[in-house]
Amino acid sequence: SVKAIQVVEDVEMIKDKTGIVRIIAKNKGPDGASGTVTVTFNGQNLTTNESATKSMTVGQNVSFYFNFKPTITGNNMIINATISVS
């Protein structure tokens, strides 16, 4: 799942207010793996303060957090997340 969060979930984004995008990835098996996440917000690559690659055991949900700051107010922001597994 992909969620953009400033202070409250599911409300309009506020221009220049920093927030995070939370990505929850689940390893559905059959083996443990490493997941690498990349995220774009309105076409711009987002950064993270933690590793974008994490180990995931079978059945485990792992959260990834990326920083964003909208340049406009509204709720029509486009967020794309890609997860690569190795």
Side-chain angles (χ1 to χ4, degrees):
S1 75
V2 178
K3 282 268 188 199
I5 305 168
Q6 282 186 321
V7 175
V8 180
E9 292 185 49
D10 302 322
V11 297
E12 282 194 353
M13 298 290 108
I14 299 169
K15 179 182 177 188
D16 295 328
K17 182 174 176 75
T18 301
I20 61 168
V21 173
R22 179 179 62 203
I23 311 300
I24 301 173
K26 182 173 186 171
N27 180 354
K28 294 185 178 182
D31 298 315
S34 290
T36 301
V37 175
T38 55
V39 180
T40 60
F41 181 82
N42 281 345
Q44 301 295 314
N45 288 327
L46 297 185
T47 60
T48 180
N49 293 329
E50 56 186 34
S51 176
T53 301
K54 296 183 180 180
S55 295
M56 300 167 37
T57 59
V58 175
Q60 180 184 22
N61 287 335
V62 177
S63 295
F64 297 81
Y65 298 92
F66 290 81
N67 306 310
F68 74 94
K69 185 184 283 189
T71 57
I72 59 173
T73 296
N75 57 9
N76 58 343
M77 312 299 176
I78 298 172
I79 302 168
N80 289 309
T82 303
I83 302 173
S84 305
V85 178
S86 58

